[in-house]
Amino acid sequence: MPHSLFDDFKEGGYHSSVLSTFSVDPAFYDASLQFRLRGLGCRNNLLIADATMLEQSLEAIPDAFSNAGRKYLIHPVHSTSCFHPKLALRYGKAKARLIVGSANVTSAGWAGNLELVSTLSWNARDEGQDSEVHRTLFVRAHQWMASITAPAQDNRVAYKLELIRSQSPWIDEPGLVGDAPFE
């Protein structure tokens, strides 16, 4: 069944987002995605992108990220090969939404190409083992996102991540399924 990423981003109730991508279309993120997120009250937004691809985007269109640093933050990931994961994690006070797929943060990835995506939601009102498994997956995804930004020692990224933790207390609540540390 076809899934529209744009339709997925119509749901409100999230205060923060972290998206990761290999290829990035700065005009698309700036004028469409972050605009859409902020319009729904999601004001703490972080875009994590492959450093080489981000640099190429900035060279091609130097003015495209016009709202970066004011309305969202971009964090380049330096890698010996390439940084290729595509995740979209949105955080609410007592809920979360995760998209994992093949779509880059580009207009083609979100609207033109045939892409494979999977979505998962969690809400604190839900009860049972499945709910805790889902929360565990969200916490692990958050921990992974935080771990890939940590080497940069960027105070702005640390601030964004601390805002997420302070507004989503479920991240630090005990009771995760499988207590092994994240690596």
Side-chain angles (χ1 to χ4, degrees):
M1 178 164 143
H3 179 84
S4 167
L5 292 170
F6 287 113
D7 286 347
D8 195 89
F9 270 55
K10 288 180 181 177
E11 181 184 349
Y14 301 101
H15 54 75
S16 300
S17 76
V18 180
L19 279 72
S20 67
T21 189
F22 170 65
S23 178
V24 62
D25 176 345
F28 172 73
Y29 183 80
D30 196 273
S32 184
L33 288 188
Q34 76 84 25
F35 182 78
R36 192 177 297 259
L37 288 164
R38 290 180 65 79
L40 292 168
C42 189
R43 303 210 180 274
N44 181 30
N45 301 301
L46 174 61
L47 176 63
I48 302 171
D50 180 84
T52 302
M53 295 302 287
L54 179 61
E55 185 177 321
Q56 289 177 11
S57 293
L58 291 171
E59 286 175 6
I61 312 169
D63 299 336
F65 282 121
S66 61
N67 290 305
R70 292 180 302 122
K71 295 184 176 180
Y72 58 89
L73 185 62
I74 305 168
H75 178 74
V77 175
H78 300 274
S79 174
T80 55
S81 56
C82 68
F83 177 76
H84 209 261
K86 289 102 174 173
L87 303 176
L89 184 52
R90 287 176 289 157
Y91 303 80
K93 183 175 182 176
K95 69 179 190 173
R97 182 108 171 125
L98 174 65
I99 300 171
V100 179
S102 62
N104 283 299
V105 178
T106 64
S107 56
W110 278 59
N113 300 342
L114 290 176
E115 303 283 354
L116 179 65
V117 297
S118 181
T119 61
L120 183 67
S121 294
W122 170 80
N123 194 310
R125 293 182 307 224
D126 299 339
E127 294 183 16
Q129 182 67 17
D130 284 349
S131 177
E132 282 309 303
V133 169
H134 290 181
R135 184 176 76 90
T136 298
L137 289 171
F138 286 110
V139 171
R140 297 292 191 221
H142 171 79
Q143 290 171 337
W144 177 78
M145 294 274 205
S147 74
I148 61 172
T149 62
Q153 301 294 319
D154 187 332
N155 290 336
R156 298 167 303 163
V157 172
Y159 176 74
K160 291 269 188 203
L161 294 174
E162 184 53 38
L163 277 176
I164 291 170
R165 290 182 62 178
S166 69
Q167 295 175 354
S168 295
W170 54 267
I171 290 173
D172 293 324
E173 290 174 3
L176 293 180
V177 175
D179 287 332
F182 178 78
E183 294 180 20

